[in-house]
Amino acid sequence: MSEEAYFEIGSNAQVDPDVTLGYRYPGDFAPLRIGDDAVIRSGSILYTSSVIGNRFQCGHQVLIRAEVTIGDRCVVHHKCTLEGRLRIGNGVKIMAHVYLPSTTTIGNMVFIGPGTSFMNDKYPMRRAAPVEGPTIEDHVSIGGGVTVCPGVTIGRNSVIGAGSVVNKDVPPDRLAYGVPARHYPLPEEISHGNLPELLLPQTDLWGAQSDDTWRGEEL
């Protein structure tokens, strides 16, 4: 562990120049911990007191604040902001320019499209109530440019259409879209969950386009 930067990272890491690992803040109490085979691109800042699993990959200028838990084989693309005190499961892919506030919970095998924003305060600066981020259950797919409101739960295996404003709970196995979003039966052709062969490989447009290392793993 580095005493100055305050982080631990596993084997086979690829860390670009101009990355800050283990950014310290007053009152911190634990190092940043990252598993094996990480890929961390330039301009990213990862705070202390967060725990990240194996085969984590992030794009440029990603900010991950303290007390964040991220599972194995997760991808966080360019210029995403993950505020502190949130939990993300295994096999999650978060596209560019996504904002996740504190107390948000993301399940396993979830896809979040670019430019999506999550909220955790229904009446910001107008009441002293505790914040409450959304809960996204396993195998949810969220299109680009979606707004997910405070305290909302999106049920397992649901699909959210691009540009929607989700201000009420979405039950499992539903297709929701619109402003505000309304939910409908999930069409049969997209009803079988997110595909592991699309979520789990560590591939990149500018790098290797074949990765079967995920096969046989249990996430």
Side-chain angles (χ1 to χ4, degrees), residues 9 13 27 29 53 57 59 93 101 110 116-117 128 131 133 140 143 153 156 158 162 164 170 180 194 201 219:
I9 192 165
F29 60 89
Q57 189 169 19
K93 181 171 285 189
V110 170
T116 290
S117 293
V131 296
V140 167
T153 295
R156 179 184 172 91
S158 289
S164 298
V170 176
N194 294 331
L219 294 179

Side-chain angles (χ1 to χ4, degrees), residues 61-190:
Q61 299 178 16
V62 168
L63 174 63
I64 301 177
R65 297 189 69 190
E67 298 181 43
V68 172
T69 300
I70 299 175
D72 295 335
R73 288 192 176 273
C74 291
V75 177
V76 180
H77 281 279
H78 315 305
K79 296 188 176 181
C80 289
T81 297
L82 280 60
E83 300 288 5
R85 298 177 180 169
L86 57 89
R87 185 175 299 274
I88 297 172
N90 298 314
V92 173
K93 181 171 285 189
I94 301 173
M95 303 303 288
H97 299 275
V98 169
Y99 177 79
L100 292 176
S102 61
T103 70
T104 298
T105 300
I106 309 291
N108 299 317
M109 301 292 288
V110 170
F111 173 84
I112 300 174
T116 290
S117 293
F118 293 71
M119 306 296 166
N120 67 358
D121 194 344
K122 189 174 182 180
Y123 301 107
M125 306 299 109
R126 296 302 175 103
R127 62 176 185 174
V131 296
E132 183 184 6
T135 297
I136 313 302
E137 296 183 350
D138 298 348
H139 280 274
V140 167
S141 180
I142 299 175
V146 171
T147 298
V148 185
C149 292
V152 165
T153 295
I154 299 178
R156 179 184 172 91
N157 199 41
S158 289
V159 175
I160 311 300
S164 298
V165 175
V166 183
N167 64 352
K168 291 183 172 58
D169 291 351
V170 176
D173 300 295
R174 302 292 282 181
L175 171 64
Y177 55 87
V179 180
R182 301 285 185 260
H183 56 84
Y184 308 90
L186 194 61
E188 171 63 24
E189 62 269 23
I190 57 170

Side-chain angles (χ1 to χ4, degrees), residues 8-10 21 32-36 38 40 46 50-53 56:
E8 299 171 351
I9 192 165
L21 297 180
L32 166 70
R33 292 186 170 91
I34 304 172
D36 297 336
I40 303 174
L46 284 67
S50 289
V51 179
I52 299 173
F56 171 73

